[in-house]
Amino acid sequence: MRILQINSHYNQGGAAKIVACIHRQLLASGQESYVAYGRGTRPTEENIYQFNKVPEIYFAALFSRVAGINGWSNRWATKRLLSYIDKVQPDLIHMHALHGYYLNFPMLFAYINKHAIPCVWTFHDCHAFVGNCGYYFDCDKWKSGCGKCPHIHNYPTSQFFDFTRFMWKRKKELFTSGQSKVIVSPSDWLTEQAKQSYFGKYPCITIRNGIDTEKTFYPRDRKQCREKYGYTQDERIVLGIAVGYSDPRKGAKYIIRAARELQGEAKVILIGWEKKNDAMLEGVSNIITLPATQSADMLAEYYSMADVFVLPSLAENYATTTLEAMACGTPVVGFDAGGIPEQLTDNKGIVVKTGDQKAFTEAIVNALSDASGLIRGQALADMISTDNSMEKMTGEYMQVYQQILQESKSKE
């Protein structure tokens, strides 16, 4: 099989890490694998192609903010992508996050449909079937056509105009033309949402996200990790990781409020912090902030030395950071948003009502207690290794690839 994946980034952020895992596993299993991505750092791995240029991304982001339309610019970048597809000649295209100011939707899907290329499309959020939002929160207009969007300023943001109804109609036309398509989501929650959308005409299935539980995310020596980063063995440590805490969806305010209640009892480490958000920390003395890092080993060491990992997202699919923390033996506290409850079953963590600050703080305190009943250490890591290894995930994707290619050939 010759597989081409398309995503906004490569190995940066949750969805991009999944792309990298699939690519590496496909190559390791003897398949031909390629990745085309829009933005971010340039990896040194084989068969990786970045087709966007920085000025084009800035222009597309500006166009989206001013005109209120996302996915209708980036013509030159998309031409380069289509030329790359011509060169690779993939048997199948595996799409991931197509939003992110790097693609022209009409051009890409016109090409796919013209050449009748079978597609697998993994939804990492709701953008594909919503007018413009990544997550629709409490709005259900996406079921009938969007318009008058209550979240117009959320990512991908529009500052002036509301074209969500236009985009919903055009996306429906573009995205659901052609028959050889399978929709995948890491969570049962999002799979069910996809079935209720205009993608319900296609097979919609769940394949859980996988991570590297052998060489990267596994329990490190807690004592050594704490000594390395300057923490004592008896300190209680709460860990949070996010890409840009300035996004209200990430729920930074809930961690900060909890930290204020935990002063004198625990230290709270936030990785992925940006200095522009320092004003949020006023009056809180037990928070340690660190910038984002691309070092998976460093993350694994912080996961391993923490007593609890917190995920206060107000909307989420199936968080990769949650899997990474548990694979390192650390239980999780999170809200009951999206697919988070599916991740924290069987005493792997504690789930509370979304936005309930009191319950969230109490759950953290409970998780810090030795009497919490939560699974920790190697026992927890073994559960994630069994259910969420990248080998398991890629094996399930390969079965889907083979099935859709067989069905496509039978229709020729």
Side-chain angles (χ1 to χ4, degrees), residues 345-395:
T345 57
D346 302 321
N347 292 321
K348 294 194 291 288
I350 302 174
V351 179
V352 301
K353 183 179 179 182
T354 299
D356 189 331
Q357 180 69 61
K358 184 174 184 293
F360 183 68
T361 303
E362 289 177 349
I364 296 174
V365 172
N366 184 18
L368 289 171
S369 169
D370 295 333
S372 66
L374 296 175
I375 298 173
R376 301 175 183 274
Q378 193 60 52
L380 178 55
D382 289 343
M383 295 174 73
I384 303 305
S385 181
T386 298
D387 297 334
N388 296 101
S389 70
M390 62 181 183
E391 293 84 0
K392 183 176 186 291
M393 174 189 67
T394 306

Side-chain angles (χ1 to χ4, degrees), residues 133-370:
C133 301
Y135 289 93
Y136 54 81
F137 296 95
D138 57 349
C139 176
D140 62 359
K141 292 183 178 182
W142 58 273
K143 295 180 179 179
S144 58
C146 289
K148 296 182 179 179
C149 179
H151 305 301
I152 194 68
H153 297 305
N154 288 358
Y155 167 81
T157 185
S158 171
Q159 295 297 328
F160 305 106
F161 304 106
D162 185 342
F163 280 100
T164 54
R165 184 163 185 81
F166 162 78
M167 287 188 287
W168 186 93
K169 291 176 67 175
R170 287 292 287 127
K171 285 162 75 171
K172 179 182 179 181
E173 294 168 2
L174 292 168
F175 296 170
T176 64
S177 54
Q179 296 302 313
S180 297
K181 200 176 274 115
V182 173
I183 307 303
V184 179
S185 172
S187 70
D188 293 333
W189 166 76
L190 190 51
T191 296
E192 289 305 311
Q193 306 307 298
K195 289 179 180 178
Q196 296 177 40
S197 75
Y198 45 67
F199 286 100
K201 62 182 284 188
Y202 298 112
C204 299
I205 65 172
T206 301
I207 295 179
R208 303 295 189 193
N209 283 344
I211 59 174
D212 183 357
T213 58
E214 291 187 5
K215 297 179 180 179
T216 306
F217 296 106
Y218 59 87
R220 310 298 177 94
D221 186 283
R222 172 190 170 99
K223 183 172 185 270
Q224 290 181 3
C225 290
R226 289 198 171 202
E227 288 177 352
K228 178 177 179 178
Y229 294 105
Y231 297 94
T232 65
Q233 300 307 310
D234 57 352
E235 285 181 308
R236 295 293 190 181
I237 295 178
V238 178
L239 177 65
I241 296 176
V243 179
Y245 279 103
S246 55
D247 182 353
R249 180 178 71 86
K250 297 297 185 181
K253 67 179 183 179
Y254 296 99
I255 301 180
I256 295 169
R257 289 172 183 171
R260 185 175 287 111
E261 296 295 320
L262 291 168
Q263 290 184 111
E265 298 181 39
K267 288 186 176 179
V268 179
I269 303 172
L270 301 180
I271 299 178
W273 191 260
E274 297 169 317
K275 286 292 185 181
K276 66 180 182 180
N277 299 320
D278 281 354
M280 298 170 66
L281 305 177
E282 186 176 352
V284 186
S285 61
N286 60 331
I287 291 181
I288 297 98
T289 60
L290 299 172
T293 177
Q294 293 302 311
S295 172
D297 283 319
M298 175 183 169
L299 290 177
E301 289 169 345
Y302 269 91
Y303 285 131
S304 297
M305 74 180 191
D307 294 292
V308 60
F309 179 77
V310 288
L311 185 76
S313 297
L314 302 177
E316 194 68 65
N317 182 7
Y318 197 85
T320 306
T321 53
T322 299
L323 297 179
E324 293 171 353
M326 294 188 295
C328 294
T330 301
V332 177
V333 169
F335 289 136
D336 62 351
I340 295 174
E342 299 171 39
Q343 297 184 276
L344 304 186
T345 57
D346 302 321
N347 292 321
K348 294 194 291 288
I350 302 174
V351 179
V352 301
K353 183 179 179 182
T354 299
D356 189 331
Q357 180 69 61
K358 184 174 184 293
F360 183 68
T361 303
E362 289 177 349
I364 296 174
V365 172
N366 184 18
L368 289 171
S369 169
D370 295 333

Side-chain angles (χ1 to χ4, degrees), residues 18-77:
I18 299 303
V19 172
C21 280
I22 294 172
H23 176 61
R24 293 162 184 167
Q25 284 297 115
L26 287 173
L27 290 175
S29 64
Q31 306 297 327
E32 287 190 65
S33 178
Y34 301 84
V35 176
Y37 74 103
R39 52 195 293 194
T41 58
R42 294 179 180 271
T44 57
E45 299 174 59
E46 62 179 312
N47 298 349
I48 309 291
Y49 175 63
Q50 182 178 4
F51 57 89
N52 258 115
K53 297 180 180 179
V54 172
E56 295 169 330
I57 295 169
Y58 284 145
F59 173 80
L62 177 63
F63 180 79
S64 175
R65 285 168 168 77
V66 174
I69 299 178
N70 174 53
W72 268 260
S73 53
N74 298 94
R75 293 187 61 85
W76 287 106

